[in-house]
Amino acid sequence: MVSELGGSSNRREEEKERLHEEISAQEREIYDRQIRLWGMEAQNKLRNASVLVIGLSGLGAEIVKNLMLAGLNALTIMDDKKATADDKKANFLLPDADYAGQNRAMASAERASALNPMVKLNAIPEGVQQHGKETWKQYSLVILCDQGFEESCRVDEECRDLGVRFMCGAVFGGAGYSFFDFNGHDFLVQIKNIPYDDLEGDDGNKIDDEMTTIEEDRFEKKKFSYAPLRDAFSVDWTAKKYIRKVSRYLPQMYYPIKACIAQLGKGDFTDAAQFKDSWLREVEAAGQSASRFTYEDDDFETFFGAQMSPVCAIVGGIMGQETIKAIAEDQHPLRNLFTYTMVDTVGMSS
């Protein structure tokens, strides 16, 4: 046993030395703090990864910032929209002047690149509709920000076919969501150990021995299954197996966010009354009564309008976190939905 443990320890040390050689001295200096946080192996996987972010909204800018600082090999930003005054309120990558009318990806590239010149940054002034599997297969992860639901479902399905990780999200005024699909990919998860004091000998008595060779932290690779985007938002909550559980499964923030997702790509809500009608449809579709929720009419005004920077930071932070976990194949992932509203002042994953 001692010999086996010693051999395992030596192999780990040799692997660490190999990774140190692969990451340059300059990189180790720049990424020192995060290497201490998630390790050299995870950093090496990040530096070999290539990610595509489509949609340079305020949410997209937050994600781009997080990934540039994480130290990817390459990041591609893509958008076919022109920057507006509302974009400038949340997208801090846009220049301070002369941004209006410029392509959002091209206008955000200079400041994004300045965050970390070691990451190869590419900006493409095109939309998601112009691309398919030939594009997605070039990347470790594809991220969609504030794109229409049907387009997001298409890209998710194509990425699943290719075995490419997929993520999407959106911010609606003071609320937002993110969805993750890392179906079939490995993650390193901790194995729960049986406390040594709880082990029993052959005679049924507790083992009383001061010596132990059981390691405190053990990990193994595990693949997780994820529902595709379309299935995740197409559940029939009135079905017999869900009807009594839906109030526990779904927080009240689910319904307004579902209404917002359904509206993506169809134009903005004109006022709170129109939004409330959409919210009521989602509530009734789940077999629920509006009377069980605490939202008041004024609250509905927070679910549309310009993206709020703090909400972009929260949702974008979660998406950046899950990107690092997915590419590094480390830590237990979220499966597979995160929602947040400033009205409820809470974020929830499910």
Side-chain angles (χ1 to χ4, degrees):
M1 174 66 76
V2 173
S3 176
E4 290 179 2
L5 290 174
S8 175
S9 176
N10 290 337
R11 286 193 294 273
R12 286 197 296 270
E13 289 302 317
E14 290 173 0
E15 179 67 9
K16 286 181 180 179
E17 290 179 8
R18 181 186 67 80
L19 292 171
H20 271 283
E21 291 175 358
E22 292 182 4
I23 294 182
S24 68
Q26 183 183 10
E27 288 174 300
R28 287 200 298 273
E29 182 178 353
I30 292 174
Y31 304 132
D32 178 68
R33 290 186 178 181
Q34 56 204 55
I35 289 173
R36 293 173 187 269
L37 179 62
W38 54 61
M40 186 69 75
E41 183 176 359
Q43 188 63 48
N44 197 50
K45 289 179 179 178
L46 287 167
R47 74 188 289 272
N48 286 292
S50 181
V51 175
L52 169 64
V53 176
I54 302 178
L56 267 291
S57 57
L59 174 61
E62 284 287 347
I63 296 169
V64 167
K65 175 201 70 177
N66 293 334
L67 300 188
M68 290 294 291
L69 296 177
L72 299 174
N73 172 54
L75 179 65
T76 298
I77 56 177
M78 182 185 296
D79 202 325
D80 61 350
K81 292 183 174 61
K82 294 182 178 180
T84 66
D86 278 349
D87 290 322
K88 180 58 180 174
K89 293 176 183 177
N91 183 346
F92 48 81
L93 297 177
L94 291 172
D96 292 331
D98 300 324
Y99 62 83
Q102 290 191 47
N103 175 271
R104 294 197 303 187
M106 304 304 290
S108 300
E110 182 176 354
R111 285 186 171 179
S113 182
L115 290 170
N116 189 349
M118 297 189 71
V119 177
K120 302 168 190 172
L121 182 72
N122 184 32
I124 302 176
E126 296 174 357
V128 63
Q129 301 88 347
Q130 298 167 257
H131 294 268
K133 287 185 177 181
E134 287 300 312
T135 297
W136 319 143
K137 70 180 184 181
Q138 301 173 43
Y139 298 96
S140 311
L141 169 67
V142 174
I143 303 175
L144 270 56
C145 299
D146 305 290
Q147 303 298 312
F149 182 71
E150 287 301 322
E151 275 300 310
S152 297
C153 287
R154 174 184 70 86
V155 178
D156 180 34
E157 291 162 4
E158 292 175 349
C159 285
R160 285 174 73 92
D161 290 343
L162 295 167
V164 174
R165 303 171 185 86
F166 172 82
M167 188 185 300
C168 66
V171 168
F172 319 100
Y177 88 101
S178 52
F179 172 87
F180 317 100
D181 190 348
F182 308 138
N183 192 54
H185 288 276
D186 289 327
F187 287 86
L188 198 63
V189 296
Q190 187 170 5
I191 302 171
K192 292 184 178 179
N193 293 310
I194 302 173
Y196 190 74
D197 291 342
D198 291 344
L199 296 177
E200 295 182 350
D202 294 337
D203 58 0
N205 295 319
K206 298 287 186 183
I207 294 177
D208 184 15
D209 192 336
E210 293 182 359
M211 296 184 64
T212 177
T213 57
I214 297 178
E215 298 179 64
E216 291 185 5
D217 295 317
R218 295 187 300 151
F219 297 85
E220 67 176 0
K221 283 190 175 181
K222 182 178 179 180
K223 293 184 186 296
F224 289 91
S225 61
Y226 283 73
L229 177 63
R230 191 180 301 280
D231 290 358
F233 284 102
S234 302
V235 177
D236 179 7
W237 295 108
T238 63
K240 187 176 180 180
K241 62 180 178 179
Y242 293 128
I243 194 64
R244 294 184 178 180
K245 301 176 182 178
V246 66
S247 60
R248 298 200 309 270
Y249 282 5
L250 300 181
Q252 72 168 6
M253 72 175 73
Y254 171 85
Y255 301 97
I257 287 178
K258 179 83 178 331
C260 290
I261 292 171
Q263 188 68 18
L264 276 172
K266 300 178 182 179
D268 297 331
F269 288 108
T270 55
D271 53 38
Q274 183 192 16
F275 177 81
K276 186 176 180 180
D277 288 342
S278 296
W279 169 76
L280 282 171
R281 285 195 293 272
E282 297 297 339
V283 170
E284 292 167 357
Q288 300 298 297
S289 170
S291 61
R292 63 174 285 256
F293 302 110
T294 61
Y295 292 130
E296 299 182 1
D297 287 346
D298 289 347
D299 294 331
F300 293 116
E301 295 182 1
T302 65
F303 290 97
F304 60 94
Q307 294 183 340
M308 297 186 182
S309 293
V311 180
C312 292
I314 292 169
V315 178
I318 292 293
M319 295 177 77
Q321 164 193 290
E322 293 306 298
T323 295
I324 293 168
K325 286 160 62 175
I327 292 175
E329 300 178 330
D330 192 15
Q331 302 182 46
H332 205 289
L334 289 182
R335 299 169 63 206
N336 52 340
L337 180 67
F338 172 81
T339 54
Y340 173 84
T341 76
M342 61 180 293
V343 175
D344 299 279
T345 63
V346 66
M348 296 189 68
S349 61
S350 57

